[in-house]
Amino acid sequence: DAKTTQPTSMDCAEGRAANLPCNHSTISGNEYVYWYRQIHSQGPQYIIHGLKNNETNEMASLIITEDRKSSTLILPHATLRDTAVYYCIVRPNAGGTSYGKLTFGQGTILTVHP
Amino acid sequence: NAGVTQTPKFRVLKTGQSMTLLCAQDMNHEYMYWYRQDPGMGLRLIHYSVGEGTTAKGEVPDGYNVSRLKKQNFLLGLESAAPSQTSVYFCASSPLGAGKDEQYFGPGTRLTVT
């Protein structure tokens, strides 16, 4: 699986957009970009994933560069409850004989302040 | 739906004791996983299962055994607990199929081995 690089920590003001970058320069053609977050002491929570097109759901937007070597997770209106560790993970999609192994790195600690 | 539940939530063991952690999911998911998370670290995959009656080793399987006798349950066993197994254990499940393999995590089991 391709490795990812994320900033160790970021700050964001409540109500503003939080833009979390992720570098994955060694990503291969069949690998997806997944984002999870982990709020303190809880299990990780799936946010969004994509292959090459930008994606949006009720939680966030995912912007993937055309060369797919980096991506940005956007929380459009951050709240205090969005304070968490955000993990960017790159891996093949599961299915058939494959399985959805997630390799968690250190992630980005996002702190949303009033 | 309850989602993914884990039993127990907390446990203290003495070195050499054994125990079983239970994970249950009510989403009819094919895949199930056991991870451990040490302080300040990302999650590491212990064992996983791609279906009822099947199990496989993950990244850090030593000292653990698993069983998937029923589709909805995934058991993690520690035969002879060691202090190095002090950790938070998370179970997860995901559905089979491309584009549907986001993982859903349980609340975790906090295990201390003295």
Side-chain angles (χ1 to χ4, degrees), chain A residues 6-75:
Chain A
Q6 300 177 252
T8 302
S9 63
M10 295 182 65
D11 288 338
C12 179
E14 188 176 20
R16 304 295 294 270
N19 297 280
L20 290 86
C22 180
N23 285 322
H24 32 79
S25 58
T26 59
I27 192 170
S28 59
N30 68 338
E31 290 183 315
Y32 286 68
V33 180
Y34 279 76
W35 283 85
Y36 282 77
R37 73 179 181 183
Q38 188 173 23
I39 297 170
H40 181 63
S41 298
Q42 298 181 21
Q45 177 188 22
Y46 165 81
I47 301 173
I48 198 168
H49 76 280
L51 182 62
K52 61 175 95 171
N53 298 321
N54 297 339
E55 302 288 344
T56 296
N57 62 20
E58 65 277 5
M59 289 183 66
S61 295
L62 174 61
I63 308 298
I64 303 174
T65 58
E66 191 170 345
D67 63 8
R68 303 208 323 120
K69 293 184 176 182
S70 66
S71 60
T72 301
L73 178 74
I74 301 173
L75 307 178

Side-chain angles (χ1 to χ4, degrees), chain B residues 22-37:
Chain B
L22 170 64
C23 176
Q25 53 95 3
D26 61 1
M27 297 173 284
N28 200 35
H29 286 170
E30 291 293 331
Y31 297 153
M32 295 188 75
Y33 318 83
W34 275 107
Y35 293 88
R36 62 176 287 175
Q37 186 174 33

Side-chain angles (χ1 to χ4, degrees), chain A residues 32 34 36 38 41-46 49 87 91-106, chain B residues 31 33 35 37 40-43 45 48 50 57 59 90 94 96-108 110:
Chain A
Y32 286 68
Y34 279 76
Y36 282 77
Q38 188 173 23
S41 298
Q42 298 181 21
Q45 177 188 22
Y46 165 81
H49 76 280
Y87 296 98
R91 65 164 180 82
N93 227 16
T97 58
S98 178
Y99 72 98
K101 177 185 174 183
L102 295 176
T103 301
F104 287 81
Q106 294 298 307
Chain B
Y31 297 153
Y33 318 83
Y35 293 88
Q37 186 174 33
M41 305 278 289
L43 278 73
L45 183 66
Y48 65 98
V50 300
K57 295 180 179 180
E59 182 184 357
F90 290 102
S94 64
L96 175 66
K100 297 181 180 179
D101 54 1
E102 56 264 30
Q103 292 187 18
Y104 297 83
F105 284 81
R110 283 153 183 77

